[in-house]
Short mmCIF file of all heavy atoms in Angstrom, two decimals:
data_model
loop_
_atom_site.label_atom_id
_atom_site.label_comp_id
_atom_site.label_asym_id
_atom_site.label_seq_id
_atom_site.Cartn_x
_atom_site.Cartn_y
_atom_site.Cartn_z
N GLN A 222 -23.29 -8.86 18.89
CA GLN A 222 -22.29 -7.88 18.43
C GLN A 222 -20.97 -8.08 19.25
O GLN A 222 -21.03 -8.30 20.43
CB GLN A 222 -22.81 -6.49 18.65
CG GLN A 222 -21.82 -5.40 18.15
CD GLN A 222 -22.33 -4.00 18.57
OE1 GLN A 222 -22.69 -3.73 19.69
NE2 GLN A 222 -22.35 -3.09 17.55
N GLY A 223 -19.91 -8.08 18.53
CA GLY A 223 -18.53 -8.20 19.25
C GLY A 223 -18.03 -9.62 19.25
O GLY A 223 -16.88 -9.80 19.58
N THR A 224 -18.81 -10.61 18.83
CA THR A 224 -18.36 -11.99 18.84
C THR A 224 -17.38 -12.20 17.72
O THR A 224 -17.43 -11.64 16.63
CB THR A 224 -19.56 -12.98 18.64
OG1 THR A 224 -20.45 -12.76 19.69
CG2 THR A 224 -19.14 -14.38 18.55
N CYS A 225 -16.36 -12.96 18.09
CA CYS A 225 -15.35 -13.42 17.05
C CYS A 225 -15.56 -14.93 16.75
O CYS A 225 -15.61 -15.74 17.68
CB CYS A 225 -13.92 -13.20 17.59
SG CYS A 225 -12.58 -13.91 16.52
N ILE A 226 -15.65 -15.27 15.55
CA ILE A 226 -15.77 -16.66 15.09
C ILE A 226 -14.52 -17.00 14.34
O ILE A 226 -14.21 -16.35 13.30
CB ILE A 226 -17.07 -16.91 14.27
CG1 ILE A 226 -18.28 -16.57 14.95
CG2 ILE A 226 -17.12 -18.34 13.75
CD1 ILE A 226 -19.57 -16.76 14.16
N VAL A 227 -13.74 -17.95 14.76
CA VAL A 227 -12.57 -18.44 14.12
C VAL A 227 -12.95 -19.65 13.24
O VAL A 227 -13.59 -20.52 13.75
CB VAL A 227 -11.44 -18.84 15.14
CG1 VAL A 227 -10.12 -19.12 14.37
CG2 VAL A 227 -11.24 -17.72 16.16
N LEU A 228 -12.50 -19.61 12.02
CA LEU A 228 -12.99 -20.58 10.96
C LEU A 228 -11.74 -21.29 10.32
O LEU A 228 -10.80 -20.69 9.77
CB LEU A 228 -13.78 -19.91 9.88
CG LEU A 228 -15.05 -19.23 10.27
CD1 LEU A 228 -15.57 -18.31 9.18
CD2 LEU A 228 -16.12 -20.29 10.56
N HIS A 229 -11.79 -22.62 10.48
CA HIS A 229 -10.67 -23.40 9.75
C HIS A 229 -10.91 -23.28 8.31
O HIS A 229 -12.06 -23.29 7.79
CB HIS A 229 -10.84 -24.88 10.23
CG HIS A 229 -9.71 -25.75 9.84
ND1 HIS A 229 -9.53 -26.20 8.52
CD2 HIS A 229 -8.74 -26.31 10.58
CE1 HIS A 229 -8.45 -27.03 8.50
NE2 HIS A 229 -7.88 -27.06 9.69
N GLY A 230 -9.82 -23.23 7.57
CA GLY A 230 -9.90 -23.03 6.13
C GLY A 230 -10.61 -24.12 5.35
O GLY A 230 -11.08 -23.93 4.22
N LEU A 231 -10.73 -25.30 5.87
CA LEU A 231 -11.50 -26.41 5.24
C LEU A 231 -12.91 -26.54 5.65
O LEU A 231 -13.62 -27.42 5.18
CB LEU A 231 -10.69 -27.74 5.51
CG LEU A 231 -9.32 -27.86 4.86
CD1 LEU A 231 -8.78 -29.20 5.22
CD2 LEU A 231 -9.39 -27.72 3.24
N LEU A 232 -13.34 -25.69 6.60
CA LEU A 232 -14.68 -25.82 7.13
C LEU A 232 -15.71 -25.27 6.10
O LEU A 232 -15.74 -24.07 5.88
CB LEU A 232 -14.79 -25.05 8.47
CG LEU A 232 -16.18 -25.06 9.09
CD1 LEU A 232 -16.42 -26.46 9.74
CD2 LEU A 232 -16.35 -24.02 10.08
N PRO A 233 -16.56 -26.05 5.54
CA PRO A 233 -17.60 -25.51 4.67
C PRO A 233 -18.59 -24.64 5.53
O PRO A 233 -19.02 -25.04 6.60
CB PRO A 233 -18.34 -26.74 4.16
CG PRO A 233 -17.34 -27.90 4.32
CD PRO A 233 -16.64 -27.54 5.58
N HIS A 234 -18.91 -23.48 5.09
CA HIS A 234 -19.83 -22.56 5.73
C HIS A 234 -20.49 -21.64 4.72
O HIS A 234 -20.09 -21.58 3.62
CB HIS A 234 -19.09 -21.67 6.81
CG HIS A 234 -17.98 -20.91 6.26
ND1 HIS A 234 -16.73 -21.41 5.91
CD2 HIS A 234 -17.96 -19.56 6.00
CE1 HIS A 234 -15.95 -20.40 5.48
NE2 HIS A 234 -16.65 -19.24 5.51
N TYR A 235 -21.61 -21.04 5.16
CA TYR A 235 -22.34 -20.20 4.27
C TYR A 235 -23.22 -19.23 5.08
O TYR A 235 -23.28 -19.33 6.29
CB TYR A 235 -23.24 -21.04 3.28
CG TYR A 235 -24.39 -21.72 4.00
CD1 TYR A 235 -25.67 -21.21 3.89
CD2 TYR A 235 -24.25 -22.93 4.65
CE1 TYR A 235 -26.77 -21.87 4.46
CE2 TYR A 235 -25.27 -23.60 5.29
CZ TYR A 235 -26.57 -23.03 5.19
OH TYR A 235 -27.62 -23.67 5.79
N SER A 236 -23.91 -18.33 4.32
CA SER A 236 -24.88 -17.48 4.99
C SER A 236 -26.07 -17.24 3.96
O SER A 236 -25.84 -17.19 2.78
CB SER A 236 -24.30 -16.18 5.44
OG SER A 236 -23.92 -15.32 4.39
N MET A 237 -27.21 -17.11 4.54
CA MET A 237 -28.47 -16.85 3.68
C MET A 237 -28.70 -15.39 3.46
O MET A 237 -28.05 -14.56 4.15
CB MET A 237 -29.67 -17.48 4.45
CG MET A 237 -29.56 -19.03 4.55
SD MET A 237 -29.50 -19.83 2.95
CE MET A 237 -31.17 -19.67 2.45
N PRO A 238 -29.58 -15.07 2.59
CA PRO A 238 -29.88 -13.59 2.39
C PRO A 238 -30.42 -12.95 3.66
O PRO A 238 -30.98 -13.58 4.54
CB PRO A 238 -30.95 -13.66 1.30
CG PRO A 238 -30.80 -14.94 0.62
CD PRO A 238 -30.35 -15.90 1.68
N ASN A 239 -30.23 -11.65 3.75
CA ASN A 239 -30.77 -10.93 4.87
C ASN A 239 -32.26 -10.51 4.48
O ASN A 239 -32.50 -9.67 3.66
CB ASN A 239 -29.95 -9.65 5.09
CG ASN A 239 -30.43 -8.89 6.32
OD1 ASN A 239 -31.44 -9.16 6.90
ND2 ASN A 239 -29.57 -7.88 6.69
N THR A 240 -33.18 -11.18 5.08
CA THR A 240 -34.59 -10.92 4.80
C THR A 240 -35.25 -10.05 5.87
O THR A 240 -36.44 -9.72 5.79
CB THR A 240 -35.39 -12.25 4.71
OG1 THR A 240 -35.25 -12.88 6.01
CG2 THR A 240 -34.85 -13.09 3.66
N SER A 241 -34.44 -9.57 6.85
CA SER A 241 -34.94 -8.76 7.94
C SER A 241 -34.83 -7.30 7.67
O SER A 241 -34.36 -6.83 6.64
CB SER A 241 -34.13 -9.12 9.19
OG SER A 241 -32.93 -8.44 9.23
#
Side-chain angles (χ1 to χ4, degrees):
Q222 181 185 52
T224 300
C225 173
I226 301 178
V227 187
L228 297 164
H229 192 286
L231 292 180
L232 181 75
H234 58 285
Y235 70 99
S236 67
M237 297 297 288
N239 185 351
T240 59
S241 78

